Amino acid sequence: MSTKKPIRIGMIGTGLMGRIHSNGYNQVPHFFPEQQHTPVLQVVCSRNEASVKAFAEQWGYAAYETDWRAVIARDDVDAIDICTPNDTHAEIAIAAAEAGKMILCEKPLARTVAEGMRMVEAVEKAGVANTVWYNYRRVPAVTLAKQIVDSGKLGKIFHYRANFLQDWTINADLPQGGTALWRLDADAAGSGVTGDLLAHCIDTAMWLNGSIIDVSAMTETFVKERMHQLTGKVQPVGIDDACLFHCHFENGSLGLFEATRYARGHKALYTFEINGEHASIRWDLHDMNRMEYFDHTDESTVRGWRSILVTDGDQPYMNRWWIPGTSIGYEHTFTHQVADFMKSLDDGTPCAPTFRDALETQKVCEAVLKSARSRSWQDTGAEAMGG
Amino acid sequence: MSTKKPIRIGMIGTGLMGRIHSNGYNQVPHFFPEQQHTPVLQVVCSRNEASVKAFAEQWGYAAYETDWRAVIARDDVDAIDICTPNDTHAEIAIAAAEAGKMILCEKPLARTVAEGMRMVEAVEKAGVANTVWYNYRRVPAVTLAKQIVDSGKLGKIFHYRANFLQDWTINADLPQGGTALWRLDADAAGSGVTGDLLAHCIDTAMWLNGSIIDVSAMTETFVKERMHQLTGKVQPVGIDDACLFHCHFENGSLGLFEATRYARGHKALYTFEINGEHASIRWDLHDMNRMEYFDHTDESTVRGWRSILVTDGDQPYMNRWWIPGTSIGYEHTFTHQVADFMKSLDDGTPCAPTFRDALETQKVCEAVLKSARSRSWQDTGAEAMGG
Amino acid sequence: MSTKKPIRIGMIGTGLMGRIHSNGYNQVPHFFPEQQHTPVLQVVCSRNEASVKAFAEQWGYAAYETDWRAVIARDDVDAIDICTPNDTHAEIAIAAAEAGKMILCEKPLARTVAEGMRMVEAVEKAGVANTVWYNYRRVPAVTLAKQIVDSGKLGKIFHYRANFLQDWTINADLPQGGTALWRLDADAAGSGVTGDLLAHCIDTAMWLNGSIIDVSAMTETFVKERMHQLTGKVQPVGIDDACLFHCHFENGSLGLFEATRYARGHKALYTFEINGEHASIRWDLHDMNRMEYFDHTDESTVRGWRSILVTDGDQPYMNRWWIPGTSIGYEHTFTHQVADFMKSLDDGTPCAPTFRDALETQKVCEAVLKSARSRSWQDTGAEAMGG
Amino acid sequence: MSTKKPIRIGMIGTGLMGRIHSNGYNQVPHFFPEQQHTPVLQVVCSRNEASVKAFAEQWGYAAYETDWRAVIARDDVDAIDICTPNDTHAEIAIAAAEAGKMILCEKPLARTVAEGMRMVEAVEKAGVANTVWYNYRRVPAVTLAKQIVDSGKLGKIFHYRANFLQDWTINADLPQGGTALWRLDADAAGSGVTGDLLAHCIDTAMWLNGSIIDVSAMTETFVKERMHQLTGKVQPVGIDDACLFHCHFENGSLGLFEATRYARGHKALYTFEINGEHASIRWDLHDMNRMEYFDHTDESTVRGWRSILVTDGDQPYMNRWWIPGTSIGYEHTFTHQVADFMKSLDDGTPCAPTFRDALETQKVCEAVLKSARSRSWQDTGAEAMGG
């Protein structure tokens, strides 16, 4: 292992994403041993010293800090991983870029297009490697869907539909804000389900089906006031609890998207479906190791949706894991992204989605929110992604 | 049987709906023997004498006609069943009402609100029994859904979503118009999937969840020209191949609707889902004897979507059929509507959906098409249905 | 219709099967109008005059009787349909054959092989058309399975497994015997789930996969005593509540069968699966309009179980019904059997399964029960079926 | 971490199980940080030096050996993990026990009851901690099933059925024996699917439903000869390709089991179902984060099988992982077993299944094979398991 080039990670944030990214860094060397770049857990940062120290011990970081600026200032850090709330992404990313660090930023890229634009400019000016954690691209079944789409098997695309349904904020007594619930605080999160959930759907959609050119949206805030964790006061809720939109893709297909945290019975039901002239594809995060596929060119009497278990060695990523029929889980999508980032360093290529790719998603999110506010169609200005 | 009051049916039209309604009239006496009103297949009408004669023999009609006006003129007919293309509904219905006949009209009620309004006025002025064949209300699982909604088990409703996905018009060589394909001809049909498919979704939705007050829609015509069956010429296609909309219900919930004939792999995938504060419901026409139900008040560790087989005698309509675990099919929904119509005559009550109820669906359809054309939100003006 | 040859039915029995067969006779002329032989509901028989009279009126029989011998004696009856408990099949069938009547006998053929043998001899001696109502062969998806098996697509067969799971007798307070519950009375039924449920599984299995040559079985009676409806006394239960067996088919494949009325949560879960060298098939009565099919010759990365909706016009029987995507139900399987019987008269061919075919199923049932009693393997002596 | 007690692992074997156990040892400290005993990857052993050296580097072992005896002889090893073919389990385990090492042995415990008995005696005499890797007990959904069974919610149990279906050996050109294919070599494996697959089903079954007291089985070897990897010669195949049996449990319920490697379309379809008086449970490895549950005490009209996503923090093990709705995979079941083993050391209790528990499974496997050979029922002599 001595001949490998270590990429020393400076992790900012110790929440869910801090944990699952740390796991990814730990796991990649075991499952992608041929890679020349290899992650090293160098330093982790969070404001509470006791908890960040415990986190560092638990996950095997060599050091810890309580100020993210100190992490960026360290010479022994090669890459900054941003796992803090959305309102901090721009400031940290720009500082990291200016310090010449690689950056792996949690999604969404930013709260606004304007913030995101500055981040893109910063990393491109600095010429540092950068990626955004839209992890669902790395679900093997979703990567397989991309391969099938790119193969042309679907023919002309007519429809793309996706939803992301949750039910965890129905209780009106749930507070907003603070460490655990910043996603409910518009200042910290920028938006509600649009940035949190729809951003995932949009990233996948534009990766699979090309650019979204205009949108017509509606949003709703079902619970109008919640106590704020930090102030203790009942305050208006600024986020969108639900967001629905339809749209045109550049290829002429119609899109339909919905995200909500008020769909009783669904924990994290991210599904998408693509209907093409010759074939269709469906996927569902609740059964993530499957892809459903309908091929109209099959013999007519025995034609049907195929339930494809994506666990074989000839399917994406699966030669790294166990045996046919045995599943992998949510965390593996992040491990795959670490592996792909390391591989992009081996190859000297970008690791999609880059900040620039993620900015296109940001443009759609912003158009969606603007459309909902104005009750009118909005052009997105989004361009085709790389990757 | 001699003590029963016969309702002598005059059937206009011998297509799919003519066949399946005829079956319903034949079946009701066998399965609802206690009813006092009982249908009699008196006369059937279609323009082609050879084919209408054969139809009459096959289904057991006592007589046939080749001009619908002759049917309405007959003294031995009590009720007119309209199974002809949409562009004929208004004229036939108004004439029938004026002749004092009861009317059972295929959906959609009409091509436009204006047509529908005249039909409502005619039946109400004449005081004749009337109903529109929105048959999916009579799927036992859908009727059960209605009972659950009305019981209050769902609590406050947040979301209603429905789609109706087909794939039979993808082939660009398919002609438009004529007897078999009038649904593709805008003059005959009034609209494409909006009147054909979404109208079903809207009827069920307003029955289950109350009135839709405003809509924002998009439509698309994927195949722009098709040969017309009657003229033999390639002509512009005037119908909507796909229609998507979101909306507000009067109860504050958000609606999301989609219909298309370009969803490869789906034959007649009508599904809906309702998400409430305490519980949710899902249904799918492709597995029509099931209802899925999630009850958040179940014990947390064993809480899950229940897959309910709706085949037991204590579930709607099922005491009329066979034994628990054995299914009924598509045709039974029409048979149930015949039975409910006869029962409404026994009881002296309206048989929902009446023309007036169906007019509310028409208003939403019209607002949807207007919204799509104008790229703007439209109020529907729809009121709550009876029934 | 005057040129058609009427087959005047004499129906013995007015229970569930009496109803569903009557429905079949009523429906066939509407859906199979080209057939030259056509059923006529001539006379129905049951011991209670009031109830048989009502039944005759409800279903449209021209006459009724209260003694089955009177039905057989009538000159205006061409075919006897036996829908009475199993202990009466032999006597009625033999008398009917001797009177030169065609016979349609409910399954199982008889209580024992000895009874069944006498019945086969009687119909063959008399040369009368005969069939046994193993209706599941006429589920379109099951008929499609037969076509696929016969096409050779599966290659060498390794495994056949089937089960029939119900839960309606778990309650120990349920009585046995009498009109409604004769299936729990060993004298009337001959056996429990073996004749009632496994007989279906065995008929389908031998039709699809050839003869079963030896069996090893176990049975259980979970509730040892029940009150008898006719005597009012608590009596030992003589039937098998559950029966499981494994076996060899003549083609070298292994069979696994299970039936029970104690599988909580299952109403009538009849499923089978066939695993071949190149492909596999699965079917499930609870979703009877689907067939699942796995074809190993599909491209490896997109290979999966196909969920085939069997509702298209090019699939068995479905050109008689509605439109693609719309389902038929349990009763249709009986209607198909009536149609096939009438067609067999048109064609002058036997209508499988004949009494002789059904005798092979009887042999397996008897070997199963003997194996369970003796705790040993038993040869069945069954031969390949026709059809 | 310095205050924790390291358990230094000596891993024998570097195949699939060597990899997945190594992953478990690596992961436990990150996800179970409160445990006082913590695994350390001390030494790994395999005969090929180049490959074991690479394995050690990849997984982070401090050292490697090429002779398992050398591992046992080391003072810096606390626990031996046996991941070698079945024919080596007894010798290694007995030597390890005599050396006072803890032992974690891959399943099945041994090839025969006699071998297993000697292993049990050895560990009990030595008083060393021991466990067998029947990992499926640690699927959260399966552990939840155990909790439900133990709660008494099911009432009296009538039926237990399980199968384990694969399709990877259908190709007759697949060789037998050697490093990759020792599972097809009867000398190395002891048996075919009985020890490899059914042993899992039996362990789960007896854990959930108590002891199996007698069995009636059949086995089949579909491909009679295969080339042996080590000799290059075509040799008879000694293993069972498929094994089916039915049985009685001590609690009076009936069991039905099947395993095969010839079920085209199934990769690793391990499923089980338990039917009780009041409720039933189903589980399927291909969708391992779900449990299906039917509760007859639910209100009758909305009663149905519940599809329970087992991903919430109040369900077994899931408070260690991510967020509701996000899945874990196959490898996590092994990680759970490492965690439970470490916890058993913290607590000073056995870690089920112990060698003694696994011997009961061995007794059933042996009775099954004997029954198949002798074509007769066999008593198992199995006793109730602990844990």
Side-chain angles (χ1 to χ4, degrees), chain D residues 1 9 13 59 61 81 89 94 101 122 141 175 177 194 200 207 216 218 237 284 290 336 348 377 381:
Chain D
M1 215 184 295
I9 304 295
W59 291 97
Y61 282 89
D81 189 335
H89 288 192
I94 292 166
K101 308 296 192 192
T194 301
H200 276 303
W207 185 51
S216 172
M218 80 189 293
V237 172
D284 170 354
R290 282 186 192 274
H336 295 161
W377 281 84

Side-chain angles (χ1 to χ4, degrees), chain D residues 223-365:
Chain D
V223 174
K224 310 293 187 193
E225 297 186 320
R226 293 182 186 273
M227 192 194 76
H228 200 288
Q229 289 273 58
L230 301 181
T231 65
K233 291 185 195 157
V234 174
Q235 291 178 221
V237 172
I239 58 158
D240 42 305
D241 286 341
C243 180
L244 295 68
F245 73 92
H246 44 245
C247 64
H248 293 97
F249 284 85
E250 199 166 22
N251 65 9
S253 60
L254 309 188
L256 187 62
F257 293 80
E258 181 183 19
T260 181
R261 293 175 183 145
Y262 286 73
R264 184 57 83 197
H266 301 301
K267 294 297 172 194
L269 189 75
Y270 175 19
T271 73
F272 66 78
E273 175 167 337
I274 315 175
N275 301 133
E277 190 179 358
H278 305 306
S280 290
I281 289 174
R282 276 202 299 232
W283 175 77
D284 170 354
L285 176 58
H286 279 188
D287 194 10
M288 69 169 245
N289 297 287
R290 282 186 192 274
M291 190 189 74
E292 291 187 274
Y293 174 66
F294 180 92
D295 192 331
H296 191 66
T297 67
D298 284 343
E299 187 183 352
S300 69
T301 56
V302 291
R303 200 155 52 195
W305 281 88
R306 301 181 190 176
S307 176
I308 301 166
L309 202 51
V310 185
T311 61
D312 275 19
D314 60 354
Q315 290 165 324
Y317 297 106
M318 293 309 297
N319 63 344
R320 301 302 174 144
W321 302 102
W322 314 110
I323 47 170
T326 59
S327 59
I328 59 169
Y330 174 61
E331 76 207 42
H332 295 70
T333 61
F334 295 89
T335 303
H336 295 161
Q337 187 147 353
V338 172
D340 286 344
F341 186 77
M342 294 299 144
K343 183 165 195 311
S344 78
L345 298 180
D346 286 2
D347 297 347
T349 56
C351 179
T354 61
F355 278 29
R356 182 161 283 281
D357 294 329
L359 182 63
E360 303 309 314
T361 293
Q362 209 69 40
K363 290 176 188 171
V364 177
C365 289

